[in-house]
Amino acid sequence: MATGQLRSISTPILLTVVGVLLCIGLLVGWTLVIADNIELGESLARSNRWLLLAGPLSFFTIMTVLVIFCFRLVRDVLEHQRQSRFIDSVTHELRSPLASLRLCLDTLRRRDLSPEQRAELLEMMADDVNRLSGFIDDILEASRLESGSAGAAMMEVDLRALVDRAADRVLRRYRVDPDSIVNEVPPGLRLFTDETALETVLKNLMDNAVKYSDPPVHVVVRARLEGRRVHVEVEDRGIGIPRAHLKRVFDRFFRVPAVQVHKRQGTGLGLYVVSSLVRELGGRLDARSPGRDQGTTMHFTLPVTRPGNPRSAAPAEGDGAFCGVAGHDPDPATEAHR
Ligand code: ADP
């Protein structure tokens, strides 16, 4: 935890500890006074039993209130800090493509450019616009998920083709070799889901896999059918995720506190959006990594058919490819959602 973070949460924790110690001191003092004056205790107990009962009760109430207050305060302080970091990242994330666009425009205004140079500048501008729009999509998606206004448009989706499409967007964004992303999804694997949401999930996972890898980038996307669920994996050989942070990477605005991460642009929103979308589609997402510099595998499952309606995605007549890449096992135990 950063020093600034520790400093700002130390005040509520300190106040709570002082409050709890005071309460304990009062209780011990009160008990000693009563123990020294048995007669006083007896006369008190005779005259007012309720007063004796009220003591420990108010003690426990005050302790509980103090501890809850401390937890809430610490949570709010941490949330506030995450939001400030997010605003910093947003500002940075908006500023750099805008600065690059301005530079390209200024250069384009010069007349002495060759057609090739113009084409290259236009390509760079298109990349910047794509980056900006991808970033705005993430923010809009996150706020749509927060407000719970999701409305899935379910349809039959060819997973291999969708992976190709998402990979293409990522390859163009990072201008890496087309062989950097290997699509190992078996041909003909289809599922009934929200295509746009699944494309966002795949694009974000591949985007991270490329972004958090040093060259030569090597990302593999696999999928297999188990019963009535599809398991999808996006594996990279990048910087990896330390064990302690494997769960936290799905929190809003969370970024692993490491130099290797902070030198790459990001807001900590992508995996929050991805995990919420996967959950919305009836699946579950988890991150696996042996540790720093040992690569990461993002794994998620999705139902092949519409959740809660196993017959809704029955293959059309003669459509043997639907769920046809593996055996049709009976439905296994449904996985817990994140
Ligand atoms: P960001 O915009 O920072 O990439 P994400 O929500 O997509 O935000 O990811 C959260 C954090 O999880 C990242 O900041 C990074 O620390 C870690 N992370 C995500 N994907 C990977 C990956 N494939 N390899 C290593 N670290 C990753």
Side-chain angles (χ1 to χ4, degrees), residues 27 50-64:
L27 185 79
W50 292 112
L51 195 65
L52 277 185
L53 199 67
L57 265 182
S58 33
F59 169 74
F60 284 117
T61 314
I62 293 171
M63 293 270 268
T64 315

Side-chain angles (χ1 to χ4, degrees), residues 285-298:
L285 170 73
D286 58 89
R288 297 161 188 183
S289 173
R292 217 177 275 278
D293 292 324
Q294 296 185 64
T296 303
T297 302
M298 292 289 172

Side-chain angles (χ1 to χ4, degrees), residues 127-245:
D127 281 352
D128 286 330
V129 170
N130 283 340
R131 184 167 141 203
L132 276 174
S133 77
F135 173 60
I136 290 165
D137 283 351
D138 268 359
I139 295 192
L140 290 178
E141 194 62 38
S143 79
R144 182 184 74 89
L145 290 162
E146 294 266 287
S147 65
S149 60
M154 309 292 270
M155 60 168 77
E156 200 180 299
V157 175
D158 180 329
L159 188 57
R160 191 178 162 86
L162 196 67
V163 168
D164 273 339
R165 214 157 62 219
D168 201 44
R169 287 171 64 190
V170 176
L171 291 170
R172 265 192 284 130
R173 175 174 176 189
Y174 290 98
R175 296 158 179 257
V176 284
D177 190 84
D179 296 336
S180 309
I181 302 184
V182 183
N183 182 354
E184 289 188 358
V185 176
L189 178 52
R190 291 188 225 168
L191 64 159
F192 195 82
T193 192
D194 180 337
E195 188 174 37
T196 316
L198 184 54
E199 188 174 344
T200 306
V201 167
L202 291 165
K203 197 217 90 197
N204 271 301
L205 293 181
M206 285 188 252
D207 192 290
N208 276 349
V210 174
K211 178 165 72 173
Y212 294 110
S213 292
D214 293 318
V217 175
H218 184 76
V219 177
V220 182
V221 185
R222 297 189 192 89
R224 64 178 194 283
L225 190 65
E226 269 184 32
R228 299 195 69 76
R229 293 187 84 80
V230 179
H231 289 246
V232 183
E233 275 178 11
V234 178
E235 184 191 283
D236 65 62
R237 296 181 187 164
I239 62 169
I241 301 176
R243 201 183 186 77
H245 296 123

Side-chain angles (χ1 to χ4, degrees), residues 278-322:
V278 169
R279 204 167 42 222
E280 204 174 88
L281 297 176
R284 171 198 162 92
L285 170 73
D286 58 89
R288 297 161 188 183
S289 173
R292 217 177 275 278
D293 292 324
Q294 296 185 64
T296 303
T297 302
M298 292 289 172
H299 164 262
F300 66 91
T301 61
L302 285 182
V304 180
T305 51
R306 191 199 296 264
N309 185 1
R311 266 178 299 210
S312 61
E317 195 112 338
D319 188 358
F322 191 86

Side-chain angles (χ1 to χ4, degrees), residues 204-205 208-213 236 238-241 249-251 253-257 261 264-273 295-298:
N204 271 301
L205 293 181
N208 276 349
V210 174
K211 178 165 72 173
Y212 294 110
S213 292
D236 65 62
I239 62 169
I241 301 176
V249 291
F250 302 109
D251 289 353
F253 309 140
F254 180 81
R255 304 196 78 207
V256 171
V261 172
R264 292 157 160 106
Q265 281 159 354
T267 54
L269 260 187
L271 285 184
Y272 167 75
V273 168
T296 303
T297 302
M298 292 289 172

